[in-house]
Amino acid sequence: MGMSPKRLVVVGGVAGGASAAARARRLCENCQIIIFERGPHVSFANCGLPYFVGGEIAEQDELLVQTPGSLKTRFNLDVRVNTEVLSIDRQARRVKVRESSGREYEEHYDALVLSTGASPLKPPIPGIDRQNHFTVRNIPDVEKIMNWSRGCERCRAVVVGGGYIGLEMAEQLRHRNFRVTVVEALPQVMAPLDPEMAAWLHAELRANNVDLHLNDPVAAFEAPTAAEPARASIVVLKSGRRLPADSVILGLGVKPEVGLAKNAGLEIGQRGGIRVNEHLQTNDPRIWAVGDAIEVRDVVTGQWSLIPLAGPANRQGRIVADNIFGRPRRYDGTLGTAILRLFKLSAGCTGANEKCLQKAGRAYHALHLHPNSHAGYYPGAEPIALKILFAPDTGRLLGAQAVGRDGVDKRIDVLATALKAGMTMNDLAELELAYAPPYGSAKDPVNLAGMAAQNVLAGDVRLAHWHELPVGDAVLLDVRRADERAQSFIPGSVHIPLDQLRFRLNELPRDKEIIVHCLSGQRSYYACRVLSQYGFRCRNLTGSYRTWQAVKS
């Protein structure tokens, strides 16, 4: 580290490579900095690609963050687009490159940064490369989609994969009035969310006339038979269902581009990404790597992970440049903080989900609540489905997920900051956050999450979860008002409104556990406090009816 190289070579631009090169120039005015980019654009907003397809971003040029010319003018960077790095000679410290014209040559480096990114997954499904099958990774990809869509009226698009890109593309194609189907091999969309949180997205897709096929992977892409509609493809699912498609959007995720690194003898981790140390250095002390191509440490579990996000890649580029030019800095891992807009819903997450914690063997408590986005008496308040995961011994925050129509981004950002700082649930309860009726509540949802967790940690209440119902011979008690219960209720539950509970305790058995629920979990917590102090064994159904209904509907 700290070699003050005369020549820095960066392979790949976009978030990681471009930020590394720009930061390097700010640290060293006299060194030569070369960026090789295989594609035609060195710095573009790949996260904005779906919104260009849908027309929310009107002009393609708006996706270009920087051009070779602007990078040359402002930072004196030698940017060579349409130029692929073919190999690395580590001993001679040279890279072999090939221009789009076919000309090949070599360049020397003193320090090398690999920002080779990730490529769309294209598993060996029969017919996957048929006409009008598109990936969404770069500007040429969306140009192909736009060219197809211009001549298509109310065409039918099948989106394969329910991750970020798949759902964003489904939303944007619906905005253009296409008929859209989403196919997902897993039982839920958005794998970073736990199932009961993803259920809100399933309902939103269906409410916006998106056909949704879950737990049903694609078996093949075929030409239509004579008896089927004339389409570009028939998407054949494992169940046997055949979906006609004028186009197919492949949103099956990405895999790290590690061929260059692997052929150069750089270490590749078990997850398939380039293995780097805490300074983002490979096993070659003159080569660093950043972005979607590398494995990172999960901050919560400590395990190696692949987390392809633009924010971490940008920060990694800055850290790498500092390390190269004598300012030692560590990259402490990735939280996986992310957010998605799906029609009128936002879904965000940070830190670990239940699946990750179970895989890592970590003990945890899970807590659901449904606070309003701002003061309930101020117009426009919307409930937020909020899930908090925390350590049962220390109370330390481990992860959070939120879904709602308003206020999700603010809460996830606060919780991501708390997670980075190693805060506990006591800390969340005591955070002093900005409050005025249009923006929040005197007890912000983050505060309420901390307070609810304090009740669990103090032993004031025990929790039951939606997936546990029914619980043996336990009594399920509904403490909502009569008018709420008249609309719908959990089968098998008995009804005693909270305000009548103290006067009707004799209706409840003392030899059975009582699982209490209301609409969101607050009134049922009050009921649990009453029951426990009168000697009943009880648990509060966390998230209560709203969480149960989201999963069961």
Side-chain angles (χ1 to χ4, degrees):
M1 255 182 322
M3 60 184 64
S4 296
K6 294 181 180 178
R7 177 177 285 200
L8 170 64
V9 170
V10 180
V11 182
V14 197
S19 65
R23 174 66 174 172
R25 173 59 72 218
R26 293 193 291 274
L27 298 178
C28 180
E29 180 62 24
N30 299 319
C31 61
Q32 183 179 5
I33 303 172
I34 304 171
I35 302 177
F36 291 111
E37 170 55 48
R38 182 171 57 188
H41 304 101
V42 66
S43 182
F44 65 94
N46 48 5
C47 297
L49 296 175
Y51 304 102
F52 175 61
V53 172
E56 290 191 47
I57 296 174
E59 299 296 332
Q60 180 177 302
D61 286 351
E62 295 175 15
L63 295 171
L64 300 177
V65 180
Q66 296 282 358
T67 65
S70 67
L71 288 172
K72 177 67 176 177
T73 300
R74 177 158 296 179
F75 298 110
N76 192 25
L77 302 179
D78 182 356
V79 180
R80 306 179 191 180
V81 295
N82 296 312
T83 304
E84 182 177 7
V85 176
L86 302 175
S87 61
I88 303 167
D89 184 337
R90 290 166 51 193
Q91 191 167 16
R93 298 206 304 275
R94 301 185 73 83
V95 294
K96 182 178 181 180
V97 302
R98 180 170 58 208
E99 297 175 338
S100 56
S101 64
R103 184 176 82 92
E104 295 184 2
Y105 61 95
E106 292 186 341
E107 286 286 0
H108 172 78
Y109 66 84
D110 297 310
L112 179 66
V113 176
L114 301 180
S115 178
T116 48
S119 59
L121 276 172
K122 292 183 72 175
I125 301 171
I128 196 169
D129 290 318
R130 290 183 58 81
Q131 185 181 7
N132 288 356
H133 286 204
F134 305 110
T135 56
V136 187
R137 190 60 181 168
N138 52 39
I139 290 177
D141 286 343
V142 295
E143 286 176 338
K144 295 174 185 176
I145 296 172
M146 296 297 284
N147 289 336
W148 159 76
S149 66
R150 287 189 185 99
C152 212
E153 286 291 329
R154 287 186 55 78
C155 282
R156 186 178 297 276
V158 174
V159 178
V160 182
Y164 290 99
I165 288 292
L167 294 184
E168 288 166 353
M169 285 298 296
E171 177 201 61
Q172 292 300 306
L173 291 170
R174 280 298 297 136
H175 285 341
R176 296 189 58 178
N177 207 30
F178 294 150
R179 290 173 288 179
V180 178
T181 299
V182 172
V183 174
E184 172 55 59
L186 298 174
Q188 66 168 83
V189 300
M190 281 294 289
L193 299 181
D194 287 319
E196 73 278 19
M197 302 301 287
W200 299 95
L201 301 183
H202 300 164
E204 187 73 2
L205 286 165
R206 292 170 176 136
N208 285 276
N209 298 314
V210 175
D211 293 330
L212 182 60
H213 297 274
L214 299 171
N215 208 24
D216 200 0
V218 174
F221 300 96
E222 297 180 355
T225 64
E228 292 177 316
R231 305 291 189 191
S233 286
I234 301 296
V235 183
V236 184
L237 306 185
K238 185 179 179 181
S239 64
R241 187 183 296 270
R242 298 173 66 85
L243 307 174
D246 296 296
S247 74
V248 172
I249 307 296
L250 298 171
L252 292 163
V254 296
K255 62 178 180 180
E257 288 265 22
V258 299
L260 185 65
K262 188 175 182 180
N263 291 338
L266 299 179
E267 183 181 359
I268 307 299
Q270 292 182 345
R271 300 298 306 276
I274 301 171
R275 180 62 57 86
V276 293
N277 63 17
E278 61 189 10
H279 301 291
L280 300 170
Q281 200 169 27
T282 70
N283 55 305
D284 185 317
R286 289 185 177 269
I287 302 178
W288 287 258
V290 298
D292 296 358
I294 69 171
E295 293 183 353
V296 294
R297 288 286 190 187
D298 183 299
V299 169
V300 175
T301 67
Q303 297 181 338
W304 289 106
S305 303
L306 297 172
I307 307 178
L309 294 170
N314 195 293
R315 294 191 298 277
Q316 290 160 13
R318 179 182 176 89
I319 289 171
V320 157
D322 282 1
N323 284 327
I324 291 173
F325 288 94
R327 300 187 180 189
R329 289 182 60 199
R330 294 172 41 152
Y331 184 72
D332 293 326
T334 302
L335 293 173
T337 307
I339 193 165
L340 165 82
R341 190 196 71 190
L342 185 65
F343 300 104
K344 294 182 179 180
L345 281 185
S346 297
C349 59
T350 187
N353 57 28
E354 286 200 63
K355 296 182 286 283
C356 291
L357 292 172
Q358 290 167 2
K359 184 177 179 181
R362 293 284 297 273
Y364 65 91
H365 282 312
L367 179 73
H368 292 84
L369 59 161
H370 296 270
N372 282 330
S373 56
H374 59 247
Y377 60 81
Y378 186 85
E382 295 279 358
I384 298 173
L386 181 59
K387 180 173 185 177
I388 302 291
L389 300 164
F390 58 99
D393 50 354
T394 63
R396 183 170 179 171
L397 179 64
L398 300 175
Q401 301 163 44
V403 182
R405 294 176 182 268
D406 181 50
V408 167
D409 55 340
K410 177 165 72 170
R411 274 61 189 217
I412 286 296
D413 281 345
V414 171
L415 290 162
T417 304
L419 193 53
K420 176 70 173 177
M423 287 186 178
T424 67
M425 305 314 289
N426 287 333
D427 295 322
L428 295 190
E430 296 171 7
L431 283 178
E432 185 175 334
L433 302 172
Y435 161 59
Y439 299 105
S441 301
K443 291 180 182 177
D444 189 84
V446 174
N447 298 133
L448 288 173
M451 293 172 185
Q454 285 178 322
N455 295 332
V456 175
L457 293 166
D460 292 338
V461 66
R462 296 186 305 125
L463 300 180
H465 299 273
W466 64 271
H467 55 80
E468 296 177 314
L469 298 184
V471 183
D473 63 350
V475 174
L476 182 58
L477 173 63
D478 182 350
V479 297
R480 296 177 298 162
R481 300 186 312 269
D483 61 310
E484 294 175 279
R485 184 172 174 85
Q487 296 178 20
S488 56
F489 58 89
I490 301 177
S493 60
V494 299
H495 181 228
I496 303 177
L498 173 62
D499 293 343
Q500 301 175 20
L501 182 60
R502 289 183 180 85
F503 312 106
R504 297 174 59 182
L505 294 175
N506 62 333
E507 298 178 29
L508 297 171
R510 292 185 174 273
D511 60 343
K512 293 182 179 180
E513 184 179 42
I514 299 172
I515 308 296
V516 192
H517 84 84
C518 58
L519 180 63
S520 64
Q522 186 178 50
R523 285 172 289 171
S524 50
Y525 161 67
Y526 298 154
C528 278
R529 292 304 301 147
V530 171
L531 291 171
S532 63
Q533 292 181 77
Y534 279 100
F536 290 89
R537 288 186 300 117
C538 63
R539 286 191 285 162
N540 187 14
L541 180 63
T542 184
S544 274
Y545 184 80
R546 275 184 171 152
T547 296
W548 179 87
Q549 185 186 44
V551 179
K552 300 300 180 180
S553 61

mmCIF file of all heavy atoms in Angstrom, residues 225-266:
data_model
loop_
_atom_site.group_PDB
_atom_site.id
_atom_site.type_symbol
_atom_site.label_atom_id
_atom_site.label_comp_id
_atom_site.label_asym_id
_atom_site.label_seq_id
_atom_site.Cartn_x
_atom_site.Cartn_y
_atom_site.Cartn_z
ATOM 1 N N THR A 225 -46.731 -23.300 -30.910
ATOM 2 C CA THR A 225 -47.303 -24.314 -31.785
ATOM 3 C C THR A 225 -48.361 -23.667 -32.666
ATOM 4 O O THR A 225 -48.737 -22.500 -32.475
ATOM 5 C CB THR A 225 -47.943 -25.440 -30.964
ATOM 6 O OG1 THR A 225 -49.049 -24.904 -30.220
ATOM 7 C CG2 THR A 225 -46.932 -26.041 -29.982
ATOM 8 N N ALA A 226 -48.865 -24.433 -33.631
ATOM 9 C CA ALA A 226 -49.881 -23.897 -34.540
ATOM 10 C C ALA A 226 -51.140 -23.493 -33.796
ATOM 11 O O ALA A 226 -51.877 -22.595 -34.230
ATOM 12 C CB ALA A 226 -50.206 -24.943 -35.611
ATOM 13 N N ALA A 227 -51.391 -24.136 -32.656
ATOM 14 C CA ALA A 227 -52.607 -23.844 -31.897
ATOM 15 C C ALA A 227 -52.435 -22.681 -30.917
ATOM 16 O O ALA A 227 -53.406 -22.274 -30.268
ATOM 17 C CB ALA A 227 -53.047 -25.097 -31.143
ATOM 18 N N GLU A 228 -51.219 -22.152 -30.800
ATOM 19 C CA GLU A 228 -50.948 -21.094 -29.827
ATOM 20 C C GLU A 228 -50.812 -19.742 -30.512
ATOM 21 O O GLU A 228 -50.556 -19.679 -31.724
ATOM 22 C CB GLU A 228 -49.667 -21.418 -29.044
ATOM 23 C CG GLU A 228 -49.826 -22.619 -28.119
ATOM 24 C CD GLU A 228 -48.537 -22.971 -27.397
ATOM 25 O OE1 GLU A 228 -47.475 -22.970 -28.052
ATOM 26 O OE2 GLU A 228 -48.597 -23.267 -26.196
ATOM 27 N N PRO A 229 -50.969 -18.650 -29.748
ATOM 28 C CA PRO A 229 -50.834 -17.310 -30.346
ATOM 29 C C PRO A 229 -49.454 -17.119 -30.968
ATOM 30 O O PRO A 229 -48.456 -17.661 -30.481
ATOM 31 C CB PRO A 229 -51.034 -16.367 -29.161
ATOM 32 C CG PRO A 229 -51.734 -17.180 -28.121
ATOM 33 C CD PRO A 229 -51.287 -18.587 -28.309
ATOM 34 N N ALA A 230 -49.403 -16.332 -32.028
ATOM 35 C CA ALA A 230 -48.126 -16.067 -32.711
ATOM 36 C C ALA A 230 -47.322 -15.082 -31.866
ATOM 37 O O ALA A 230 -47.575 -13.871 -31.886
ATOM 38 C CB ALA A 230 -48.389 -15.509 -34.103
ATOM 39 N N ARG A 231 -46.381 -15.600 -31.122
ATOM 40 C CA ARG A 231 -45.539 -14.790 -30.237
ATOM 41 C C ARG A 231 -44.076 -15.106 -30.508
ATOM 42 O O ARG A 231 -43.742 -16.091 -31.160
ATOM 43 C CB ARG A 231 -45.850 -15.087 -28.769
ATOM 44 C CG ARG A 231 -47.303 -14.930 -28.376
ATOM 45 C CD ARG A 231 -47.758 -13.480 -28.390
ATOM 46 N NE ARG A 231 -49.086 -13.327 -27.822
ATOM 47 C CZ ARG A 231 -49.817 -12.232 -27.893
ATOM 48 N NH1 ARG A 231 -49.335 -11.173 -28.510
ATOM 49 N NH2 ARG A 231 -51.017 -12.171 -27.351
ATOM 50 N N ALA A 232 -43.210 -14.267 -29.938
ATOM 51 C CA ALA A 232 -41.775 -14.527 -30.092
ATOM 52 C C ALA A 232 -41.369 -15.792 -29.362
ATOM 53 O O ALA A 232 -40.489 -16.531 -29.806
ATOM 54 C CB ALA A 232 -40.969 -13.345 -29.568
ATOM 55 N N SER A 233 -42.010 -16.051 -28.224
ATOM 56 C CA SER A 233 -41.657 -17.211 -27.404
ATOM 57 C C SER A 233 -42.873 -17.709 -26.642
ATOM 58 O O SER A 233 -43.814 -16.948 -26.378
ATOM 59 C CB SER A 233 -40.570 -16.867 -26.376
ATOM 60 O OG SER A 233 -39.313 -16.733 -26.969
ATOM 61 N N ILE A 234 -42.809 -18.966 -26.295
ATOM 62 C CA ILE A 234 -43.699 -19.533 -25.290
ATOM 63 C C ILE A 234 -42.820 -19.887 -24.093
ATOM 64 O O ILE A 234 -41.876 -20.674 -24.220
ATOM 65 C CB ILE A 234 -44.443 -20.785 -25.798
ATOM 66 C CG1 ILE A 234 -45.281 -20.451 -27.035
ATOM 67 C CG2 ILE A 234 -45.312 -21.363 -24.685
ATOM 68 C CD1 ILE A 234 -46.410 -19.471 -26.786
ATOM 69 N N VAL A 235 -43.097 -19.275 -22.954
ATOM 70 C CA VAL A 235 -42.330 -19.542 -21.738
ATOM 71 C C VAL A 235 -42.980 -20.732 -21.047
ATOM 72 O O VAL A 235 -44.115 -20.650 -20.576
ATOM 73 C CB VAL A 235 -42.311 -18.316 -20.812
ATOM 74 C CG1 VAL A 235 -41.447 -18.597 -19.583
ATOM 75 C CG2 VAL A 235 -41.805 -17.089 -21.568
ATOM 76 N N VAL A 236 -42.246 -21.834 -21.014
ATOM 77 C CA VAL A 236 -42.775 -23.078 -20.445
ATOM 78 C C VAL A 236 -42.278 -23.204 -19.006
ATOM 79 O O VAL A 236 -41.064 -23.224 -18.760
ATOM 80 C CB VAL A 236 -42.332 -24.299 -21.275
ATOM 81 C CG1 VAL A 236 -42.969 -25.572 -20.715
ATOM 82 C CG2 VAL A 236 -42.697 -24.107 -22.739
ATOM 83 N N LEU A 237 -43.204 -23.277 -18.059
ATOM 84 C CA LEU A 237 -42.842 -23.386 -16.660
ATOM 85 C C LEU A 237 -42.760 -24.838 -16.227
ATOM 86 O O LEU A 237 -43.288 -25.739 -16.892
ATOM 87 C CB LEU A 237 -43.853 -22.636 -15.786
ATOM 88 C CG LEU A 237 -44.095 -21.165 -16.147
ATOM 89 C CD1 LEU A 237 -45.016 -20.517 -15.122
ATOM 90 C CD2 LEU A 237 -42.784 -20.406 -16.255
ATOM 91 N N LYS A 238 -42.108 -25.069 -15.119
ATOM 92 C CA LYS A 238 -41.948 -26.422 -14.605
ATOM 93 C C LYS A 238 -43.286 -27.092 -14.357
ATOM 94 O O LYS A 238 -43.440 -28.304 -14.531
ATOM 95 C CB LYS A 238 -41.125 -26.392 -13.314
ATOM 96 C CG LYS A 238 -40.797 -27.767 -12.750
ATOM 97 C CD LYS A 238 -39.964 -27.661 -11.482
ATOM 98 C CE LYS A 238 -39.660 -29.042 -10.923
ATOM 99 N NZ LYS A 238 -38.859 -28.944 -9.661
ATOM 100 N N SER A 239 -44.283 -26.301 -13.978
ATOM 101 C CA SER A 239 -45.622 -26.830 -13.726
ATOM 102 C C SER A 239 -46.309 -27.304 -15.001
ATOM 103 O O SER A 239 -47.347 -27.971 -14.941
ATOM 104 C CB SER A 239 -46.484 -25.754 -13.060
ATOM 105 O OG SER A 239 -46.663 -24.657 -13.946
ATOM 106 N N GLY A 240 -45.761 -26.921 -16.160
ATOM 107 C CA GLY A 240 -46.384 -27.232 -17.433
ATOM 108 C C GLY A 240 -47.140 -26.072 -18.035
ATOM 109 O O GLY A 240 -47.536 -26.117 -19.202
ATOM 110 N N ARG A 241 -47.346 -25.015 -17.268
ATOM 111 C CA ARG A 241 -48.043 -23.847 -17.792
ATOM 112 C C ARG A 241 -47.228 -23.223 -18.924
ATOM 113 O O ARG A 241 -46.006 -23.137 -18.850
ATOM 114 C CB ARG A 241 -48.258 -22.831 -16.677
ATOM 115 C CG ARG A 241 -49.123 -21.644 -17.093
ATOM 116 C CD ARG A 241 -49.241 -20.652 -15.964
ATOM 117 N NE ARG A 241 -49.932 -21.222 -14.821
ATOM 118 C CZ ARG A 241 -51.241 -21.157 -14.638
ATOM 119 N NH1 ARG A 241 -51.998 -20.557 -15.537
ATOM 120 N NH2 ARG A 241 -51.796 -21.677 -13.566
ATOM 121 N N ARG A 242 -47.919 -22.762 -19.982
ATOM 122 C CA ARG A 242 -47.269 -22.174 -21.147
ATOM 123 C C ARG A 242 -47.730 -20.724 -21.279
ATOM 124 O O ARG A 242 -48.923 -20.451 -21.421
ATOM 125 C CB ARG A 242 -47.615 -22.970 -22.416
ATOM 126 C CG ARG A 242 -47.134 -24.430 -22.350
ATOM 127 C CD ARG A 242 -47.636 -25.250 -23.547
ATOM 128 N NE ARG A 242 -47.059 -24.799 -24.798
ATOM 129 C CZ ARG A 242 -45.886 -25.196 -25.277
ATOM 130 N NH1 ARG A 242 -45.155 -26.060 -24.592
ATOM 131 N NH2 ARG A 242 -45.446 -24.765 -26.442
ATOM 132 N N LEU A 243 -46.762 -19.792 -21.214
ATOM 133 C CA LEU A 243 -47.064 -18.370 -21.218
ATOM 134 C C LEU A 243 -46.598 -17.750 -22.524
ATOM 135 O O LEU A 243 -45.399 -17.718 -22.815
ATOM 136 C CB LEU A 243 -46.358 -17.678 -20.055
ATOM 137 C CG LEU A 243 -46.582 -18.265 -18.653
ATOM 138 C CD1 LEU A 243 -45.695 -17.549 -17.645
ATOM 139 C CD2 LEU A 243 -48.044 -18.155 -18.259
ATOM 140 N N PRO A 244 -47.506 -17.220 -23.336
ATOM 141 C CA PRO A 244 -47.084 -16.564 -24.587
ATOM 142 C C PRO A 244 -46.415 -15.228 -24.290
ATOM 143 O O PRO A 244 -46.839 -14.479 -23.409
ATOM 144 C CB PRO A 244 -48.399 -16.375 -25.351
ATOM 145 C CG PRO A 244 -49.457 -16.367 -24.292
ATOM 146 C CD PRO A 244 -48.977 -17.248 -23.187
ATOM 147 N N ALA A 245 -45.341 -14.908 -25.027
ATOM 148 C CA ALA A 245 -44.575 -13.695 -24.771
ATOM 149 C C ALA A 245 -44.122 -13.063 -26.080
ATOM 150 O O ALA A 245 -43.536 -13.736 -26.927
ATOM 151 C CB ALA A 245 -43.357 -14.007 -23.904
ATOM 152 N N ASP A 246 -44.403 -11.756 -26.232
ATOM 153 C CA ASP A 246 -43.812 -11.001 -27.336
ATOM 154 C C ASP A 246 -42.369 -10.647 -27.032
ATOM 155 O O ASP A 246 -41.568 -10.445 -27.939
ATOM 156 C CB ASP A 246 -44.616 -9.725 -27.582
ATOM 157 C CG ASP A 246 -46.028 -10.035 -28.044
ATOM 158 O OD1 ASP A 246 -46.178 -10.606 -29.139
ATOM 159 O OD2 ASP A 246 -46.973 -9.726 -27.295
ATOM 160 N N SER A 247 -42.046 -10.544 -25.745
ATOM 161 C CA SER A 247 -40.660 -10.361 -25.333
ATOM 162 C C SER A 247 -40.472 -11.005 -23.971
ATOM 163 O O SER A 247 -41.429 -11.197 -23.215
ATOM 164 C CB SER A 247 -40.288 -8.872 -25.258
ATOM 165 O OG SER A 247 -40.874 -8.279 -24.117
ATOM 166 N N VAL A 248 -39.231 -11.326 -23.672
ATOM 167 C CA VAL A 248 -38.866 -11.892 -22.377
ATOM 168 C C VAL A 248 -37.762 -11.029 -21.785
ATOM 169 O O VAL A 248 -36.751 -10.759 -22.446
ATOM 170 C CB VAL A 248 -38.391 -13.354 -22.513
ATOM 171 C CG1 VAL A 248 -37.822 -13.863 -21.187
ATOM 172 C CG2 VAL A 248 -39.539 -14.250 -22.982
ATOM 173 N N ILE A 249 -37.973 -10.553 -20.565
ATOM 174 C CA ILE A 249 -36.955 -9.808 -19.827
ATOM 175 C C ILE A 249 -36.312 -10.772 -18.836
ATOM 176 O O ILE A 249 -37.001 -11.317 -17.966
ATOM 177 C CB ILE A 249 -37.556 -8.607 -19.070
ATOM 178 C CG1 ILE A 249 -38.366 -7.716 -20.022
ATOM 179 C CG2 ILE A 249 -36.460 -7.836 -18.359
ATOM 180 C CD1 ILE A 249 -37.559 -7.056 -21.104
ATOM 181 N N LEU A 250 -35.012 -10.988 -18.984
ATOM 182 C CA LEU A 250 -34.299 -11.930 -18.120
ATOM 183 C C LEU A 250 -33.711 -11.154 -16.941
ATOM 184 O O LEU A 250 -32.736 -10.423 -17.078
ATOM 185 C CB LEU A 250 -33.189 -12.635 -18.902
ATOM 186 C CG LEU A 250 -33.670 -13.478 -20.094
ATOM 187 C CD1 LEU A 250 -32.489 -13.949 -20.933
ATOM 188 C CD2 LEU A 250 -34.492 -14.674 -19.610
ATOM 189 N N GLY A 251 -34.340 -11.306 -15.797
ATOM 190 C CA GLY A 251 -33.881 -10.658 -14.577
ATOM 191 C C GLY A 251 -33.523 -11.684 -13.531
ATOM 192 O O GLY A 251 -34.041 -11.662 -12.407
ATOM 193 N N LEU A 252 -32.647 -12.592 -13.902
ATOM 194 C CA LEU A 252 -32.324 -13.748 -13.057
ATOM 195 C C LEU A 252 -31.151 -13.494 -12.115
ATOM 196 O O LEU A 252 -30.626 -14.426 -11.512
ATOM 197 C CB LEU A 252 -32.003 -14.953 -13.952
ATOM 198 C CG LEU A 252 -33.207 -15.490 -14.742
ATOM 199 C CD1 LEU A 252 -32.744 -16.385 -15.888
ATOM 200 C CD2 LEU A 252 -34.145 -16.248 -13.827
ATOM 201 N N GLY A 253 -30.759 -12.236 -11.989
ATOM 202 C CA GLY A 253 -29.624 -11.929 -11.133
ATOM 203 C C GLY A 253 -28.348 -11.795 -11.936
ATOM 204 O O GLY A 253 -28.347 -11.834 -13.173
ATOM 205 N N VAL A 254 -27.242 -11.629 -11.235
ATOM 206 C CA VAL A 254 -25.956 -11.428 -11.882
ATOM 207 C C VAL A 254 -24.897 -12.321 -11.248
ATOM 208 O O VAL A 254 -25.068 -12.816 -10.128
ATOM 209 C CB VAL A 254 -25.506 -9.951 -11.787
ATOM 210 C CG1 VAL A 254 -26.453 -9.051 -12.547
ATOM 211 C CG2 VAL A 254 -25.387 -9.511 -10.333
ATOM 212 N N LYS A 255 -23.819 -12.530 -11.981
ATOM 213 C CA LYS A 255 -22.666 -13.269 -11.459
ATOM 214 C C LYS A 255 -21.415 -12.428 -11.664
ATOM 215 O O LYS A 255 -21.297 -11.706 -12.669
ATOM 216 C CB LYS A 255 -22.521 -14.630 -12.151
ATOM 217 C CG LYS A 255 -22.283 -14.549 -13.639
ATOM 218 C CD LYS A 255 -22.107 -15.940 -14.245
ATOM 219 C CE LYS A 255 -21.877 -15.849 -15.755
ATOM 220 N NZ LYS A 255 -21.691 -17.175 -16.375
ATOM 221 N N PRO A 256 -20.470 -12.472 -10.736
ATOM 222 C CA PRO A 256 -19.263 -11.649 -10.857
ATOM 223 C C PRO A 256 -18.476 -11.985 -12.122
ATOM 224 O O PRO A 256 -18.339 -13.163 -12.496
ATOM 225 C CB PRO A 256 -18.463 -12.004 -9.599
ATOM 226 C CG PRO A 256 -19.443 -12.594 -8.656
ATOM 227 C CD PRO A 256 -20.480 -13.267 -9.504
ATOM 228 N N GLU A 257 -17.953 -10.957 -12.771
ATOM 229 C CA GLU A 257 -17.077 -11.136 -13.938
ATOM 230 C C GLU A 257 -15.649 -11.337 -13.422
ATOM 231 O O GLU A 257 -14.941 -10.365 -13.145
ATOM 232 C CB GLU A 257 -17.150 -9.901 -14.830
ATOM 233 C CG GLU A 257 -18.457 -9.753 -15.585
ATOM 234 C CD GLU A 257 -18.378 -10.340 -16.984
ATOM 235 O OE1 GLU A 257 -17.508 -11.208 -17.213
ATOM 236 O OE2 GLU A 257 -19.175 -9.930 -17.833
ATOM 237 N N VAL A 258 -15.241 -12.586 -13.284
ATOM 238 C CA VAL A 258 -13.944 -12.873 -12.664
ATOM 239 C C VAL A 258 -12.979 -13.576 -13.608
ATOM 240 O O VAL A 258 -11.890 -13.971 -13.193
ATOM 241 C CB VAL A 258 -14.130 -13.730 -11.385
ATOM 242 C CG1 VAL A 258 -14.960 -12.989 -10.356
ATOM 243 C CG2 VAL A 258 -14.761 -15.088 -11.712
ATOM 244 N N GLY A 259 -13.358 -13.732 -14.876
ATOM 245 C CA GLY A 259 -12.491 -14.458 -15.810
ATOM 246 C C GLY A 259 -11.101 -13.868 -15.906
ATOM 247 O O GLY A 259 -10.091 -14.596 -15.870
ATOM 248 N N LEU A 260 -11.013 -12.562 -16.032
ATOM 249 C CA LEU A 260 -9.720 -11.881 -16.146
ATOM 250 C C LEU A 260 -8.878 -12.134 -14.900
ATOM 251 O O LEU A 260 -7.689 -12.468 -14.984
ATOM 252 C CB LEU A 260 -9.960 -10.388 -16.344
ATOM 253 C CG LEU A 260 -8.735 -9.511 -16.601
ATOM 254 C CD1 LEU A 260 -8.083 -9.883 -17.919
ATOM 255 C CD2 LEU A 260 -9.156 -8.034 -16.601
ATOM 256 N N ALA A 261 -9.495 -11.973 -13.726
ATOM 257 C CA ALA A 261 -8.773 -12.177 -12.469
ATOM 258 C C ALA A 261 -8.361 -13.631 -12.290
ATOM 259 O O ALA A 261 -7.230 -13.930 -11.872
ATOM 260 C CB ALA A 261 -9.648 -11.725 -11.296
ATOM 261 N N LYS A 262 -9.258 -14.534 -12.603
ATOM 262 C CA LYS A 262 -8.968 -15.962 -12.432
ATOM 263 C C LYS A 262 -7.826 -16.404 -13.332
ATOM 264 O O LYS A 262 -6.913 -17.136 -12.896
ATOM 265 C CB LYS A 262 -10.229 -16.777 -12.726
ATOM 266 C CG LYS A 262 -10.118 -18.249 -12.408
ATOM 267 C CD LYS A 262 -11.457 -18.945 -12.614
ATOM 268 C CE LYS A 262 -11.367 -20.415 -12.247
ATOM 269 N NZ LYS A 262 -12.678 -21.102 -12.447
ATOM 270 N N ASN A 263 -7.847 -15.969 -14.583
ATOM 271 C CA ASN A 263 -6.784 -16.345 -15.517
ATOM 272 C C ASN A 263 -5.434 -15.761 -15.108
ATOM 273 O O ASN A 263 -4.388 -16.300 -15.479
ATOM 274 C CB ASN A 263 -7.139 -15.893 -16.933
ATOM 275 C CG ASN A 263 -8.306 -16.676 -17.513
ATOM 276 O OD1 ASN A 263 -8.595 -17.791 -17.069
ATOM 277 N ND2 ASN A 263 -8.986 -16.098 -18.484
ATOM 278 N N ALA A 264 -5.468 -14.690 -14.329
ATOM 279 C CA ALA A 264 -4.214 -14.073 -13.859
ATOM 280 C C ALA A 264 -3.728 -14.704 -12.555
ATOM 281 O O ALA A 264 -2.699 -14.281 -12.005
ATOM 282 C CB ALA A 264 -4.421 -12.578 -13.664
ATOM 283 N N GLY A 265 -4.468 -15.682 -12.051
ATOM 284 C CA GLY A 265 -4.050 -16.358 -10.822
ATOM 285 C C GLY A 265 -4.451 -15.633 -9.552
ATOM 286 O O GLY A 265 -3.926 -15.941 -8.473
ATOM 287 N N LEU A 266 -5.389 -14.697 -9.648
ATOM 288 C CA LEU A 266 -5.875 -14.035 -8.442
ATOM 289 C C LEU A 266 -6.872 -14.944 -7.730
ATOM 290 O O LEU A 266 -7.589 -15.735 -8.358
ATOM 291 C CB LEU A 266 -6.529 -12.698 -8.797
ATOM 292 C CG LEU A 266 -5.607 -11.675 -9.473
ATOM 293 C CD1 LEU A 266 -6.383 -10.401 -9.790
ATOM 294 C CD2 LEU A 266 -4.396 -11.361 -8.602
#
